[in-house]
Amino acid sequence: MKVSLNWLKNYIEINQTPDEISEILTTIGLEVEGMEEVESIKGGLEGVIVGKVLECGKHPNADKLSLCKVNVGGEDDLQIVCGAPNVATGQTVLVAQIGTTLYDKQGEPWKIKKGKIRGEESHGMICAEDELGLGESHDGILVLDDSIAAGTLAKEVYKVENDIVYDIGLTPNRSDATSHIGVAQDLVAYLHINHSSDVNIQLPDLASFHVDNKTRVINVEVANEKKCPRYSGLTISGVTIGPSPQWLINKLSSIGVRPISNIVDITNFVLHEYGQPLHAFDADKIDGQKILVKTLDQDTPFLALDEKERKLSEDDLMICDNNSKPMCLGGVFGGIDSGVTESTQNIFLESAHFEAEGIRMSSTKHLLRTDAAKCFEKGSDPNITIDALKRAAILIKEIAGGEISSDIVDVYPNKIEEKEIQLRYEKVNEVLGNEISVDEIHAILRAMNMGIDPVDDKSIKVRVPTNKADVLREIDLIEEILRIYGFNKIEIGSEIRSSISHSDFPDKSDLKERIRNILSSNGFCEMMNLSLIESRFYQGSYINEQDMVFINNTSNVHLNIMRPEMILSGLQSVGYNINRQQQDLKLYEFGKSFKRHNDGIEEREKFTLFLSGALVEESWNSQSKAVDFYDLKSFVELILNSLNVPQCEVKELKDSRFLYGTSLLLNNHTICTLGLLDSTFTARADVKKAVFCAEFNVESLLQNVRQQLHIDSISKFPTVRRDLAMILEENVDFQQVKDLAIKTDKKILKNVGLFDVFRDKDKVGEGKKSLAVSFMFENKEKTLKDKDVDKVIKKIKYLLENELGAQIRM
């Protein structure tokens, strides 16, 4: 948001330097991100002077050029070659002298030089309005009133102003500071408290407002009072559309707003003055002389001012005529068929208060991030619509003529009252860390136009103005007090105190850091996604809506739930990278998931891994290899082994709706799930490539990390290996074979491994597979004999045949 210092001076007397004002603005929570000295007209018309055309004839060598002699107030007249069709003897014109810097429409500078045009010298340029930044027209040179003397500086004619403009990083909670008056009110409060200043704010004088007649009445009906709590308006008849006066052009130009026409410029001026968006309709284009404020059917077409047709959502609030024809996307953007044009003579001026959430949703959905939408979505003040309307009406009569031809229509069925919040003195001092007197707290609150009612000796009831939409709780009030009191007044102690901290093993922070080091050293990048996500991504999925944690997010209404799991948000980051040609990805993230559970909210801490693309880049001595399940499994095992987690039970995932793979369990608690994400699930994040994912439960992991690592010496006695090939049903997995073998003998059987899987319906049968399994035997106290091993193998065969239905192949 841009704030003009000259504009602020319209409302308050400022004795501080621009740098001091910048420091104060930052102190009161309006962080100044930049400060620029600007001129109301780019270049300030330096080097441009008024001239009188003494002679003007055809160029001897070019029919479309004129050769002019121009008096600019000096002893010598200037010869200038001019190509404008309207140049003539006797005109009063603006001349850019040699050495003058002008700016093109893109803002690029170029300099006037002495030169020859078709053989004739030219000592300057007679200018059109667009060449000087005074307008858009290039139809011909700008002709001034003959009463202006030759030699007069152009910047004196156009009253060029120098100004300081602050670029403020306005946070979403500062609905009270979306205007120059709002910023001025904050400055006054700060100066009262910290500079003992008696400066007061001077609001625009509205006393001259009066209704001239009631010849053009337009009725208003609000069908959706939730989305439009207040709608005000009036008609003005007999206006003349034209350019704005220079003072208005200067004001808007200083903050980067392009002047358009007097009516539109006045609505923009009031927006930046009051923080109240306005919209002007051509009254003659409102069918039935009635306005309906309502929502329309899904996919209703709407042709906007930018000549683009948009399909409306059933949630978009529309300003319609009596036939329900959409004229304006309420609070966001006007329609092409109802706006003010050069031929407009009668207008209906709208000043409304719209629901912040609905405006945000419509403006982002239709990609219309207008100044009005940005103001409404922060929460406009519902109780200034009439003042803003009167201010605009007075200016329109003054600048564009016309008469106010109706009473103010004001549909406000449920008045929005000031919020009342109880404030405890003790809580203020506790939060701030400073002792602030009761009188000082009262003074700060009154300086911000807040009413005070006593409750008892320890607290008061504070009435919060309706322009502070985000001040809802006691802590919000304390933040307001701190802004005006001054962050720089909070004392910083001269002593540093510390205590020895101790945490029992395993320490969660240490565990996370160890995992980060493991993954980062293996080429992974850490990502940090928002804990918020759009609920629409889970429509028709495995997450029930009643389990979702919905929030009221006025900054972005689409991000309306806390993420119920972490995989989809991580998958969105995968898609973001893939769409930017980052195809080979190794990512991880620590975070939380949120679900409703009984009457509360269940938070679970997790971390996720994602693999996609190639594991190794293509090189002259190696081929590129696409990642697979076993690459992911190796990283999971690396983490578990590094943290000294015991051997996990492996189970195939059979109930997951989006992950094909396995789960790792300890003591019947899931430590990790890993596998390939289903393509229908990845499509929710617009990812078409294969993505492998692992999700760890941090709490379960913490419970199974062992502090001590047990190390055995290498056995002096040899190991013995036996291999078995067996035919099994397809639904019997290797883990079942391994578990059965280990259950058979735990003394000498040290390892069970799978080294081959064979499927062929002609050789092993339909729906069957052949597994080749190795069994490693070892006794650390003696050399094993064949009969010891054969005895165990015999038991294993028996159990495999009888419990798993295996056919042992010899």
Side-chain angles (χ1 to χ4, degrees), residues 12 176 180-190 201 203 447 449 467:
I12 58 174
D176 59 323
H180 281 77
I181 288 178
V183 173
Q185 287 172 331
D186 254 13
L187 281 172
V188 167
Y190 183 88
I201 190 163
L203 296 175
N449 300 316
N467 68 331

Side-chain angles (χ1 to χ4, degrees), residues 723-742:
D723 294 341
L724 288 178
M726 63 198 76
I727 297 175
L728 295 162
E729 295 293 334
E730 187 65 51
N731 61 355
V732 179
D733 57 37
F734 166 70
Q735 188 64 37
Q736 292 173 271
V737 175
K738 183 177 180 179
D739 291 344
L740 193 65
I742 292 173

